[in-house]
Amino acid sequence: QQQVKQSPQSLIVQKGGISIINCAYENTAFDYFPWYQQFPGKGPALLIAIRPDVSEKKEGRFTISFNKSAKQFSLHIMDSQPGDSATYFCAASAITGTASKLTFGTGTRLQVTL
Amino acid sequence: ETGVTQSPTHLIKTRGQQVTLRCSSQSGHNTVSWYQQALGQGPQFIFQYYREEENGRGNFPPRFSGLQFPNYSSELNVNALELDDSALYLCASSLVSAGTQYFGPGTRLTVL
């Protein structure tokens, strides 16, 4: 059962454009939604994260929009740069006692062209 | 502040063998989680360790086991390796009950 659905699978954006990646979740117990960036052969690096009591969070060129009623959240990358070319994963977690596990989407491969 | 480190970087094993992967958590973090990432897929949660005990487990068979040491470092052991175990194994550290997890560079395991 895929609890976090991510789209699109791949994305090509011109330099300076806006990249938008969408995720939807099913488990209403999720209470933390991070986005990770991963380059080939490297581990995922935390980009930005949001909790469901906030509808939007912005850090530099990266913005998360969160719609609790629709159970959807998205990542917007403004002024996309070639260095942003990587795979992006959305994730969600629910804390149960002392345990917390991340459930990841399937990833979006972003290519930013010149 | 030291980030999450993992060793070895790459490993090649044959089917049926056993493997041990190691992880040192980020300074100040007391919880370690392990994930398996198959090629082209998102990471899948294996298990989490806190206070040297397993603290949550994903849908992985018992031949996947782990340890956490008093200094919060951790090991992932996989017995009776199968071809499908070929993947990038990621370690992540965090504070207990915190959503934010920080990942290491991973260990690439190839099973022949």
Side-chain angles (χ1 to χ4, degrees):
Chain A
Q1 180 187 9
Q2 186 183 353
Q3 295 193 44
V4 179
K5 295 183 179 180
Q6 183 173 347
S7 63
Q9 186 174 0
S10 62
L11 185 60
I12 299 175
V13 174
Q14 280 196 326
K15 180 182 175 182
I18 303 173
S19 304
I20 302 174
I21 305 171
N22 301 298
C23 284
Y25 63 96
E26 300 167 4
N27 186 351
T28 55
F30 287 146
D31 59 3
Y32 177 74
F33 302 88
W35 284 88
Y36 285 86
Q37 178 190 57
Q38 186 175 31
F39 292 103
K42 306 294 184 182
L46 179 66
L47 260 182
I48 187 173
I50 199 169
R51 294 198 182 272
D53 54 345
V54 176
S55 61
E56 185 175 283
K57 183 175 181 180
K58 183 177 181 179
E59 290 184 1
R61 296 186 294 111
F62 301 94
T63 300
I64 299 179
S65 297
F66 187 85
N67 186 329
K68 188 175 181 178
S69 61
K71 293 187 285 185
Q72 295 175 347
F73 59 110
S74 60
L75 174 69
H76 290 64
I77 306 174
M78 312 300 287
D79 188 25
S80 298
Q81 298 297 312
D84 297 331
S85 297
T87 300
Y88 293 80
F89 292 96
C90 61
S93 76
I95 296 173
T96 306
T98 58
S100 65
K101 74 169 191 177
L102 288 169
T103 300
F104 283 84
T106 50
T108 296
R109 191 168 182 177
L110 171 65
Q111 182 181 354
V112 181
T113 61
L114 293 172
Chain B
E1 183 178 277
T2 307
V4 179
T5 60
Q6 293 186 242
S7 63
T9 305
H10 296 88
L11 205 51
I12 300 174
K13 292 285 187 178
T14 56
R15 194 170 49 181
Q17 285 189 311
Q18 176 265 344
V19 68
T20 297
L21 311 181
R22 295 178 174 82
C23 170
S24 291
S25 60
Q26 183 170 315
S27 176
H29 286 177
N30 54 16
T31 300
V32 174
S33 303
W34 286 92
Y35 292 81
Q36 179 195 66
Q37 186 177 23
L39 202 60
Q41 301 294 319
Q44 298 290 316
F45 176 73
I46 302 175
F47 43 55
Q48 183 176 84
Y49 275 82
Y50 171 60
R51 289 186 174 176
E52 302 175 46
E53 292 188 355
E54 189 177 289
N55 187 39
R57 188 178 185 94
N59 189 26
F60 281 81
R63 60 189 185 84
F64 285 78
S65 63
L67 287 172
Q68 186 184 32
F69 300 99
N71 66 353
Y72 307 126
S73 66
S74 177
E75 287 182 355
L76 164 66
N77 299 288
V78 187
N79 294 321
L81 284 167
E82 301 177 359
L83 297 180
D84 285 349
D85 294 334
S86 295
L88 181 68
Y89 287 85
L90 297 161
C91 168
S93 76
S94 62
L95 292 172
V96 66
S97 301
T100 305
Q101 297 185 16
Y102 297 91
F103 285 83
T107 294
R108 171 70 64 185
L109 173 64
T110 302
V111 182
L112 302 176

